[in-house]
């Protein structure tokens, strides 16, 4: 298990997070640029090593009823990946994502090798995969698009 100081060092390596002292020696870290009402990425990091990372918008992650994931026993790699995914889930759309997606009914970010981001969008009963402004693929169903993305090494943050 990582110590409180080790966890703080890892979390503070993300310059987009702002440290907020709370009671009993605990620390929260906020992402002020969040497009969601939620701004807290790390919640109640405690000197005993316990704490939580917000994962309410992450798929495939087990969360509590507040959308939090316990990080007590996380390794450095796990903690770093989880904090990065949490920030990404709260981040504003890039200009190319906004240009491509606009106000569609369903969209998802998928992250792949070398942190490449693809956008999966449902429009006119089809599923489109975009890399920036470029259309990569089109599919008839969500399942087909999901299978393709997973096959190519992508996952939802």
């Amino acid at each position: 298990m990582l110590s409180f100081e080790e966890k703080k060092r890892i979390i503070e390596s993300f310059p987009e997070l702002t440290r907020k002292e709370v009671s009993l020696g605990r620390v929260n870290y906020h992402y002020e640029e969040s497009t969601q009402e939620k701004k807290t990425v790390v919640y109640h990091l405690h000197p005993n090593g316990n704490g939580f990372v917000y994962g309410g918008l992450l798929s495939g992650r087990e969360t509590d009823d507040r959308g939090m994931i316990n990080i007590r026993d996380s390794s450095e790699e796990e903690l770093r990946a989880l904090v990065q995914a949490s920030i990404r889930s709260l981040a504003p759309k890039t200009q190319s994502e906004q240009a491509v997606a606009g106000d569609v009914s369903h969209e998802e970010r998928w992250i792949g090798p070398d942190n490449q981001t693809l956008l999966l969008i449902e429009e006119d009963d089809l599923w489109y995969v975009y890399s920036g402004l470029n259309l990569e693929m089109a599919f008839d169903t969500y399942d087909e698009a999901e299978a393709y993305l997973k096959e190519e090494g992508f996952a939802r943050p």
Side-chain angles (χ1 to χ4, degrees):
M1 178 174 87
L2 297 169
S3 71
F4 177 63
E5 292 302 321
E6 291 169 322
K7 287 178 181 171
K8 282 194 325 185
R9 179 183 48 77
I10 293 165
I11 295 163
E12 290 174 1
S13 73
F14 292 91
E16 55 268 66
L17 296 179
T18 304
R19 180 182 169 142
K20 306 281 185 178
E21 301 287 334
V22 291
S23 62
L24 304 173
R26 296 174 296 185
V27 182
N28 288 348
Y29 290 87
H30 293 203
Y31 177 53
E32 300 299 337
E33 302 299 316
S34 175
T35 59
Q36 308 293 317
E37 186 175 318
K38 182 62 135 177
K39 293 194 182 303
T40 305
V41 171
V42 179
Y43 178 73
H44 284 184
L45 181 61
H46 193 278
N48 70 8
N50 201 19
F52 301 88
V53 170
Y54 179 67
L57 299 174
L58 304 178
S59 61
R61 305 283 183 131
E62 191 170 322
T63 64
D64 64 16
D65 59 340
R66 300 167 297 159
M68 296 294 191
I69 300 169
N70 190 290
I71 58 169
R72 175 187 275 293
D73 298 322
S74 296
S75 69
E76 179 173 352
E77 297 78 26
E78 291 168 336
L79 179 57
R80 191 173 300 284
L82 185 56
V83 169
Q84 184 174 34
S86 180
I87 292 169
R88 216 180 265 135
S89 75
L90 298 169
K93 292 179 189 172
T94 64
Q95 286 182 342
S96 61
E97 288 173 338
Q98 183 60 40
V100 168
D103 293 323
V104 296
S105 61
H106 186 96
E107 67 177 78
E108 295 176 355
R109 283 186 188 165
W110 287 70
I111 309 301
D114 302 322
N115 280 329
Q116 181 185 6
T117 301
L118 295 179
L119 197 60
L120 176 61
I121 297 173
E122 179 187 21
E123 189 173 21
D124 299 328
D125 297 324
L126 290 174
W127 292 88
Y128 298 97
V129 176
Y130 285 91
S131 175
L133 295 173
N134 300 320
L135 176 63
E136 293 289 319
M137 297 289 286
F139 299 93
D140 290 325
T141 68
Y142 177 84
D143 291 341
E144 290 173 343
E146 181 182 43
Y148 167 77
L149 289 163
K150 286 181 178 178
E151 214 171 88
E152 294 297 319
F154 286 80
R156 286 174 282 179

